Amino acid sequence: MARKIAFQGELGAYGHQACADARPEYDPLPCTTFHDTMAAIRERRADLGMVAVENSIYGRVADVHSLLPESGLHIVDEAFVRVHVNLLGVRGASLEQVREAHGHVVILPQCGLFLREHGIQGTVSSDNARAAREIAERNDPTHAALASEMAAQIYGLDVLARHIEDHPNNTTRFLIMARDADFTRRGDHGMMTAFLFRVRNIPAALYKAMGGFATNGVNMVKLESYMVNGSFTATQFFAEIEGHPDDDNVKLALDELRYFTSYLNILGTYPADPARH
């Protein structure tokens, strides 16, 4: 039986592109929501999941960060996908005919300069690949989709304009999730470790908890806070560091962190993607 990798969106979504780039040997499994994506892994309908966590322009994907702590899954890899936005129209259409461009609410402002320059109105769709499918079904040359070239190939659309995003470094970072953690690997470009923690209710607990990383020379690349159960006083943190839990300096830093925390959950350790550097 072929192995499957789940992603949020329809075939041709940027998540599908990430799957094809990072795990081409897996069959893609489209899912409606991020929750459905993670459920597919837990329920063994998929072996892996490709989950977007942040975009260099838009910022973090809030839905995912709220789901990660309770997912019961582990991070086994990361992947960076360069987001090229293309204007896709029905076969034979021209750029001059397009009056409306359909795309996700996040992607519309990312190509705002192009749309304004050509007098095209942006229309919100729930998913970029879905927009491409619906444009193909509509078969109206005045309507186009903002999506990947993969979506154009899948739904039989013409690329009317390529790479129309405002920023040349528009990149989305994905995490590859699995049911089981893998602590056996060592990456050519170093390792990353992600974990969740809650500090104890003592003065300067966060400051003291972070001190172990500084004194042991461990680089923390991400630290984000979340309210727990809607409480303003119970705060949980998501952090990513460079290194492997078996590294001596990381061990010492995590031991010090444990002293000042009431909860610590290592979500996974994984090779750093070359695009990170």
Side-chain angles (χ1 to χ4, degrees), residues 248-259:
D248 289 340
N249 62 334
V250 175
K251 279 183 181 179
L252 291 171
L254 291 175
D255 285 344
E256 192 163 339
L257 176 66
R258 288 186 180 94
Y259 183 80

Side-chain angles (χ1 to χ4, degrees), residues 135-200:
I135 290 302
E137 294 170 352
R138 182 192 290 258
N139 196 30
D140 181 344
T142 66
H143 289 255
L146 300 168
S148 67
E149 291 194 55
M150 175 184 279
Q153 296 167 2
I154 291 173
Y155 300 109
L157 298 173
D158 285 347
V159 179
L160 306 183
R162 281 184 168 82
H163 303 180
I164 63 173
E165 61 275 9
D166 295 348
H167 299 278
N169 61 341
N170 192 342
T171 302
T172 297
R173 179 179 176 235
F174 292 82
L175 296 177
I176 300 179
M177 311 294 295
R179 288 183 292 276
D180 300 312
D182 184 356
F183 292 90
T184 64
R185 296 168 300 163
R186 290 286 178 168
D188 294 336
H189 302 276
M191 296 295 290
M192 304 296 300
T193 297
F195 53 90
L196 294 163
F197 68 94
R198 297 176 197 166
V199 294
R200 293 165 56 196

Side-chain angles (χ1 to χ4, degrees), residues 78 80 189-192 242 272-277:
E78 64 177 354
F80 291 77
H189 302 276
M191 296 295 290
M192 304 296 300
E242 293 180 351
D273 190 289
R276 176 178 287 278
H277 303 285

Side-chain angles (χ1 to χ4, degrees), residues 8-135:
Q8 185 274 326
E10 299 195 19
L11 293 175
Y14 291 103
H16 183 193
Q17 179 182 327
C19 294
D21 291 347
R23 292 293 188 275
E25 70 276 20
Y26 284 71
D27 288 345
L29 178 65
C31 298
T32 304
T33 65
F34 289 117
H35 182 276
D36 295 338
T37 303
M38 295 183 183
I41 309 166
R42 287 194 300 269
E43 296 165 5
R44 299 182 180 275
R45 291 182 283 114
D47 302 278
L48 298 174
M50 183 69 71
V51 180
V53 288
E54 57 194 338
N55 176 266
S56 59
I57 306 301
Y58 178 73
R60 78 182 189 183
V61 181
D63 287 353
V64 171
H65 284 77
S66 65
L67 291 171
L68 274 177
E70 310 301 328
S71 69
L73 303 174
H74 302 273
I75 304 168
V76 295
D77 236 326
E78 64 177 354
F80 291 77
V81 172
R82 178 67 177 82
V83 178
H84 287 302
V85 184
N86 307 280
L87 187 72
L88 312 182
V90 297
R91 289 283 169 85
S94 66
L95 173 59
E96 291 71 26
Q97 290 178 287
V98 176
R99 294 292 174 264
E100 284 189 39
H102 300 249
H104 191 272
V105 65
V106 170
I107 211 168
L108 287 171
Q110 293 181 15
C111 49
L113 293 176
F114 178 90
L115 297 181
R116 288 191 294 273
E117 179 183 346
H118 291 85
I120 299 173
Q121 177 184 331
T123 301
V124 174
S125 174
S126 61
D127 179 80
N128 299 308
R130 177 178 181 176
R133 175 175 59 79
E134 291 178 342
I135 290 302

